Amino acid sequence: MNALKALHDEQDQAVWLDFVARGFIQKGALKRLVEEDGLRGVTSNPSIFEKAIGHSDEYDASLKAVQETGDSRVIDLYEGLAIADIQAAADVLRPVYEASDGADGYVSLEVSPYLALDTEATLTEARRLHKAVARDNLMVKVPATPEGIPAIRQLTEEGISINVTLLFSQEAYEAVARAFIDGLDARAKAGHDVSKIASVASFFISRIDVLVDKLLDEKIAQANDPDEKTALAQLKGKVAIANAKLAYQRYRKIFAESKWTALAEKGAKAQRLLWASTGVKNKAYSDVLYVEELIGPNTVNTMPPATMDAFRDHGTVRATIEEDVPGAEAVMTRLARAGIDIEKVAEQLVREGVQLFIDAADDLLGAVAGKRAALLGQRLDGQSLVMDDSLAAEAKKTVESWRASGAIRRLWAGDATVWSGHDEASWLGWLHIVEDELEKAADYAAFSEWVKQQGFTDAVVLGMGGSSLGPEVLSLTYGQREGFPKLQILDSTHPDQVRALEASIDLGRTLFIVSSKSGSTLEPNVFRDYFLGRVKEKLGDRAGDHFVAVTDPGSDMERAAKADNFKKIFYGVKQIGGRYSVLSAFGLVPAAALGLDVKALLETARIMVRSCGPVVPPAQNPGVLLGAAMGVAGLAGRDKVTIIASPGIDSFGAWAEQLIAESTGKQGKGLVPVDGEPASVPAVYGRDRFFIYLRLDGQAQEAQDEALRALERDGHPIARITLDSIEQLPQEFYRLEMATAVAGAVLGINPFDQPDVEASKIETKKLFSEAEANGALPAETPLFEDDAVALYADRENAASLPQATQGLEAALKAQLARLKDGDYLGLLAYVPRDAKAAGILQEARLAVRDARKVATCLEFGPRFLHSTGQAYKGGPDTGVFLQITSAPSEDLPIPGRALGFSTVVAAQARGDFAVLAERGRRALRVHIKGDLDAGLKRVAAALKAAVA
């Protein structure tokens, strides 16, 4: 008789196969094993599926079919494949299950190894898989970790058949057996049937000998006595079998106790010992050693295909499991005397076993992620990273560290220890916001239709920072849509800019979107007060119909909006900071008002969300890869993240600035984002740059492409991101959010707080309150003053700039002389932000960059206070700052307030400078008293002359 078949027919030992693959089932190979070899079960694990899915193309057609119906998560793609295989195998084995009255014919599917140390998550996962497979002859595999054992008991009580895996210890086996019995006992006491539940305890064999033999070799090497060496050598290849034989003795004892016999009388089936890992690893041993020596009744041996073939060919069938039990006891006693603790060996093997399955799961899911990306093609924005060997090695090391520690899964699970261990878990709502907002897509579509029906010609977002920068990108990227209003942004309190915006709109045909998370931010409140007052003058009690609010629940803004009868209030998520909020209501309400298809926008973003998901291994996870590169580059001194983008998407950098600067620039660390510097020749850059190049196919410029190629040849690190169309830009919001969160972890900071932004807000509020009480801001004494400009600085900076008393040109030359290699220049202009002012100052910044090879930042206040201001004050002390203020042409009163916008912007500038000074930053302020254009040109000329 076939030796495999004889194992069951003659010795009541079931043969299971430790292998599964689609073609193997579909081509009838599994069925032949059942019919010809008496196969009675199948086991699977991540390693098996990794080989089947990752190293063949037989699953590609199924993946393609699923992806053609819409994008799926990586975990769903894998589980779809695995569950289909398990179901197919279970159907092949169904006759065995029925013929054995449910004792055999099982197929096993493992809960995620990522959950091995989490009881509740294991319970949830096991229940879900049991329901999804929907086959009576399924066993769910649960590891015998300390956290797994309570789950085994509970699942057994619930009537789910369990294959307990990763058993190496007799003590652990007994705990598992008793957990099984306790679960059945509880089920019986609850009046439920216990006869339909089967279980196996998978006791691993060869791995024990591999580790113990290694430990014995170490002992042999240390021993001096030849007899001792011989005695130790005689234990090699014996311990695994001895350990298993003694475990079987425990099985006989436990399942003879009265508690079990009472359950057996109710039809319960004993939990069988299953010999796992029975493929021989040591070629010096017989290839059927772990089958022939462990044959006994009511047991299972699960074999890999090669071991099955070997035993079929030359295996010997005889009862061996109870042969020489005293000899087995003697082996274990001698092992202990040799100083090898089998329990510690088992504990190590459990840890290693969990990690091996995690490693296999990472490989498996990485393979699925790769196949998904290939199927998505250009629908998924591309990413490539080019770094020198040193940076690339550090980035690779970081990525592997993230994989080994499960950091991306921990990040998604809200584990604050990924960062600083403080309150980070309270700020992770952005991770899930795309899925959450998709559920509200119909609400956004209805709002969009209402905006269109009202015939608004303009829509104005009144907000700062995260409330305004994302909507600005959407407006500038997608433009005005037919039938919808033009979307504008107001994020400046300079009265000339407020007045200019008002002049560009018809108040009676404008929708105002007042955006403020907290509702307590100064700027949105004064914007609301001003424009609500102006619209009331025109429309009276109907003014509220022209206003909607976007704010967090329970905020002051919500209360004000209700009091003023705003048409609608949209709610943000308290667990999302402003800079991470573009894919929440703060970005989506303006998008809907603009006429964008919010559902399509979110579905596009979701492609990147899934690419950055918790089970996508770091090496295939674009957010982790980019964040790791940014982080290690920053630690290596390449901390000036320079954003270059194709025309059409070049506004993205202003949003990215806030995200990167506010998230990472603190505790003297961080990345300094640089936006608005056009790509140039390598000679104008220092060695402190990290470039992010967003390239839009169809609109990319050859000059930009060549500049980036030259920078690459010169050794600069470059992250290239390619977009097939502007419709895919929402993916980049999410990619960079994830990358920034990862970079924050690499840098060792909390990427979700902004302590120095708050400091500026506090200083500004204090100054403004004093001004309201006293009628004006406190007087200042300039270092220098003429008819056109005045210069100001705090005591420490003034002492470092004695030349300032000589005039503007001497002062700016001295200020720029403070720049060193690795520093950057920050031009902080509290003037109206328009093309003319930007053009004048842009020429000056580029002259400084080209001459001094330093990064340059051109910012307009007060908007940058809610953006890059955090990094300027809290990040690396490498900034040299020139603040530029101007006297407005005329003040603009704010309804309900004693002072107007002129005082607000002046207080903001002074508060900003005060905090820069308090942080010890190198700063100088130039105040333009007369004509703004002339003053800016004079400042620009002085800057250019200083570096000529």
Side-chain angles (χ1 to χ4, degrees):
M1 178 185 287
N2 180 323
L4 287 168
K5 205 165 189 179
L7 281 172
H8 182 261
D9 292 353
E10 297 178 7
Q11 299 295 333
D12 191 27
Q13 181 174 72
V15 175
W16 287 13
L17 175 66
D18 197 24
F19 175 76
V20 68
R22 180 151 301 180
F24 179 76
I25 300 169
Q26 291 179 341
K27 294 173 184 176
L30 177 61
K31 186 177 181 181
R32 284 194 297 275
L33 288 178
V34 173
E35 294 172 347
E36 297 173 9
D37 292 332
L39 185 73
R40 302 183 68 77
V42 168
T43 54
S44 70
N45 59 49
S47 299
I48 290 170
F49 276 115
E50 190 274 327
K51 291 181 177 69
I53 297 173
H55 298 274
S56 76
D57 59 4
E58 64 183 23
Y59 292 85
D60 291 0
S62 296
L63 286 170
K64 183 178 180 182
V66 172
Q67 283 296 98
E68 285 176 347
T69 65
D71 184 42
S72 296
R73 298 185 307 161
V74 168
I75 190 64
D76 293 332
L77 289 171
Y78 155 64
E79 284 192 355
L81 299 175
I83 287 171
D85 282 1
I86 294 298
Q87 289 173 327
D91 292 344
V92 171
L93 285 158
R94 182 78 190 188
V96 176
Y97 174 79
E98 292 177 348
S100 65
D101 191 26
D104 253 322
Y106 287 90
V107 181
S108 298
L109 178 62
E110 189 151 1
V111 297
S112 170
Y114 302 143
L115 309 178
L117 305 181
D118 187 329
T119 301
E120 289 303 317
T122 294
L123 285 167
T124 300
E125 175 95 337
R127 292 165 183 148
R128 184 179 63 81
L129 292 175
H130 176 75
K131 183 178 180 181
V133 175
R135 297 293 189 273
D136 295 335
N137 55 331
L138 170 74
M139 278 190 180
V140 179
K141 293 179 78 172
V142 176
T145 58
E147 296 82 3
I149 290 175
I152 292 161
R153 183 205 175 283
Q154 180 62 35
L155 293 167
T156 301
E157 182 180 346
E158 294 175 14
I160 298 176
S161 294
I162 301 299
N163 178 340
V164 184
T165 187
L166 291 181
L167 276 167
F168 298 90
S169 155
Q170 297 172 48
E171 295 296 329
Y173 163 66
E174 183 163 339
V176 163
R178 296 197 183 282
F180 167 73
I181 292 171
D182 289 346
L184 277 186
D185 186 52
R187 183 171 177 81
K189 287 176 179 175
H192 299 304
D193 184 10
V194 295
S195 67
K196 303 298 183 185
I197 303 164
S199 180
V200 293
S202 295
F203 203 88
F204 281 58
I205 309 301
S206 66
R207 291 189 195 178
I208 289 178
D209 272 347
V210 170
L211 179 54
V212 170
D213 284 1
K214 179 183 175 184
L215 297 174
L216 287 168
D217 284 337
E218 293 172 0
K219 297 283 185 182
I220 292 168
Q222 295 167 2
N224 295 317
D225 184 349
D227 292 340
E228 182 182 356
K229 287 179 179 285
T230 300
L232 291 168
Q234 288 174 348
L235 291 173
K236 292 181 65 174
K238 304 285 180 61
V239 174
I241 291 170
N243 194 42
K245 287 188 174 187
L246 297 182
Y248 187 77
Q249 292 303 305
R250 294 205 187 200
Y251 156 79
R252 291 194 59 190
K253 176 178 175 293
I254 292 167
F255 286 93
E257 293 171 357
S258 59
K259 188 171 183 178
W260 170 253
T261 56
L263 290 167
E265 289 172 0
K266 296 176 182 178
K269 299 177 179 67
Q271 182 189 61
R272 291 179 292 173
L273 272 163
L274 177 150
W275 311 125
S277 182
T278 55
V280 174
K281 307 294 193 295
N282 189 331
K283 293 183 179 179
Y285 303 157
S286 163
D287 58 358
V288 293
L289 173 67
Y290 299 129
V291 181
E292 289 185 338
E293 297 297 323
L294 296 173
I295 301 172
N298 208 29
T299 59
V300 180
N301 195 309
T302 183
M303 309 177 202
T307 304
M308 286 189 70
D309 292 343
F311 193 82
R312 184 191 302 109
D313 179 70
H314 52 266
T316 300
V317 178
R318 62 187 180 86
T320 54
I321 191 63
E322 294 197 87
E323 280 186 353
D324 195 16
V325 172
E329 292 172 340
V331 166
M332 302 308 292
T333 299
R334 286 157 54 200
L335 185 72
R337 286 176 181 165
I340 297 175
D341 185 338
I342 192 64
E343 289 298 320
K344 289 184 178 178
V345 167
E347 289 171 7
Q348 178 179 337
L349 287 170
V350 170
R351 290 193 303 272
E352 291 176 353
V354 170
Q355 189 59 52
L356 284 169
F357 282 156
I358 286 174
D359 294 346
D362 286 343
D363 289 343
L364 164 62
L365 294 169
V368 175
K371 290 174 183 284
R372 170 182 170 271
L375 289 168
L376 283 168
Q378 292 182 328
R379 291 171 57 203
L380 173 64
D381 292 351
Q383 175 177 292
S384 65
L385 297 167
V386 178
M387 294 174 279
D388 64 30
D389 291 346
S390 176
L391 272 184
E394 284 300 313
K396 185 177 181 180
K397 188 187 302 181
T398 298
V399 168
E400 172 55 22
S401 172
W402 268 63
R403 188 205 66 79
S405 67
I408 186 60
R409 297 189 300 277
R410 290 164 46 219
L411 183 156
W412 275 88
D415 182 351
T417 63
V418 170
W419 298 282
S420 69
H422 292 122
D423 70 338
E424 290 91 341
S426 301
W427 297 102
L428 297 177
W430 57 274
L431 287 170
H432 304 279
I433 193 61
V434 170
E435 293 287 0
D436 294 344
E437 293 291 0
L438 272 167
E439 296 179 4
K440 306 173 189 173
D443 295 338
Y444 290 114
F447 173 66
S448 187
E449 183 60 28
W450 175 81
V451 170
K452 187 176 184 180
Q453 290 176 357
Q454 298 305 302
F456 292 119
T457 56
D458 291 276
V460 179
V461 174
L462 307 176
M464 300 296 293
S467 300
S468 63
L469 293 170
E472 182 178 69
V473 174
L474 297 175
S475 175
L476 294 175
T477 301
Y478 298 112
Q480 187 173 3
R481 300 295 171 106
E482 184 176 352
F484 287 90
K486 176 184 178 181
L487 182 66
Q488 299 190 68
I489 312 296
L490 180 63
D491 56 3
S492 173
T493 53
H494 198 291
D496 292 347
Q497 187 131 19
V498 177
R499 191 179 292 109
L501 183 135
E502 183 178 355
S504 73
I505 60 176
D506 178 348
L507 289 171
R509 300 184 67 192
T510 298
L511 173 69
F512 293 93
I513 303 170
V514 188
S515 290
S516 174
K517 276 188 64 63
S518 66
S520 61
T521 304
L522 174 65
E523 298 92 338
N525 285 328
V526 297
F527 295 155
R528 178 199 64 212
D529 293 346
Y530 177 78
F531 282 104
L532 184 60
R534 297 288 289 127
V535 176
K536 280 182 177 179
E537 291 174 11
K538 191 175 186 73
L539 300 177
D541 292 341
R542 294 185 296 110
D545 291 344
H546 286 243
F547 285 78
V548 298
V550 187
T551 190
D552 284 352
S555 72
D556 291 341
M557 183 65 73
E558 178 190 17
R559 287 185 284 274
K562 288 179 177 178
D564 290 318
N565 297 314
F566 279 21
K567 186 67 179 178
K568 189 167 180 60
I569 300 173
F570 293 89
Y571 292 103
V573 177
K574 286 188 176 182
Q575 292 75 30
I576 303 178
R579 57 186 174 275
Y580 289 85
S581 68
V582 64
L583 296 172
S584 74
F586 288 93
L588 300 180
V589 170
L594 186 60
L596 298 181
D597 183 339
V598 171
K599 182 180 180 183
L601 183 155
L602 289 169
E603 287 176 340
T604 298
R606 185 168 62 183
I607 292 174
M608 185 59 67
V609 175
R610 289 172 171 173
S611 296
C612 297
V615 302
V616 180
Q620 287 78 34
N621 192 308
V624 176
L625 287 170
L626 179 58
M630 290 166 61
V632 299
L635 292 173
R638 287 189 174 272
D639 58 353
K640 311 304 187 302
V641 180
T642 305
I643 301 154
I644 309 292
S646 296
I649 56 172
D650 50 348
S651 62
F652 183 82
W655 172 83
E657 273 192 319
Q658 182 200 16
L659 178 68
I660 296 169
E662 274 197 352
S663 297
T664 69
K666 58 201 69 170
Q667 300 173 23
K669 308 176 185 179
L671 306 174
V672 178
V674 180
D675 176 44
E677 276 191 358
S680 189
V681 296
V684 305
Y685 296 105
R687 310 308 288 183
D688 59 347
R689 300 287 188 136
F690 180 96
F691 291 93
I692 298 178
Y693 178 30
L694 280 83
R695 187 181 189 279
L696 177 60
D697 288 351
Q699 290 186 237
Q701 296 176 327
E702 176 55 31
Q704 254 184 1
D705 285 345
E706 177 50 37
L708 270 296
R709 287 192 290 267
L711 290 169
E712 179 183 336
R713 289 192 295 269
D714 196 48
H716 290 281
I718 298 172
R720 283 185 175 83
I721 294 168
T722 55
L723 289 74
D724 188 53
S725 69
I726 60 170
E727 281 70 32
Q728 291 175 203
L729 188 63
Q731 292 184 29
E732 297 318 309
F733 291 128
Y734 199 88
R735 183 203 307 265
L736 197 58
E737 286 174 354
M738 180 61 75
T740 301
V742 172
V746 175
L747 294 169
I749 50 88
N750 177 351
F752 307 113
D753 65 0
Q754 50 282 333
D756 300 287
V757 170
E758 300 303 324
S760 286
K761 286 183 180 180
I762 292 168
E763 187 66 25
T764 296
K765 284 183 179 179
K766 183 177 77 172
L767 285 166
F768 189 72
S769 296
E770 289 176 0
E772 284 197 307
N774 301 324
L777 290 169
E780 297 178 287
T781 302
L783 303 175
F784 169 85
E785 184 174 21
D786 61 20
D787 291 341
V789 300
L791 303 178
Y792 298 91
D794 62 288
R795 182 178 301 172
E796 286 74 16
N797 274 301
S800 298
L801 293 168
Q803 302 91 334
T805 59
Q806 301 170 24
L808 176 67
E809 288 71 17
L812 295 193
K813 185 173 183 178
Q815 179 70 347
L816 293 192
R818 302 171 86 180
L819 285 165
K820 305 185 298 291
D821 289 346
D823 284 346
Y824 65 96
L825 173 68
L827 300 179
L828 315 179
Y830 285 81
V831 303
R833 184 169 63 95
D834 56 34
K836 183 181 288 187
I840 294 169
L841 294 175
Q842 179 77 348
E843 283 187 22
R845 78 181 286 202
L846 295 182
V848 175
R849 179 198 69 177
D850 294 353
R852 297 298 303 273
K853 296 186 180 183
V854 296
T856 62
C857 303
L858 172 57
E859 307 290 352
F860 285 86
R863 81 185 224 143
F864 81 85
L865 290 178
H866 301 264
S867 174
T868 52
Q870 168 63 47
Y872 298 161
K873 300 175 184 72
D877 186 11
T878 52
V880 173
F881 301 101
L882 180 65
Q883 188 188 77
I884 304 169
T885 58
S886 68
S889 59
E890 183 182 348
D891 196 7
L892 197 60
I894 303 168
R897 295 183 183 266
L899 299 172
F901 280 101
S902 292
T903 308
V904 174
V905 71
Q908 289 176 309
R910 288 205 200 178
D912 174 33
F913 197 95
V915 178
L916 284 171
E918 190 271 330
R919 299 290 191 271
R921 301 317 197 203
R922 292 161 286 176
L924 175 69
R925 174 181 158 216
V926 178
H927 181 68
I928 298 171
K929 298 161 61 176
D931 181 77
L932 178 60
D933 284 351
L936 289 174
K937 288 176 180 177
R938 182 178 169 189
V939 170
L943 289 169
K944 286 186 268 187
V947 296

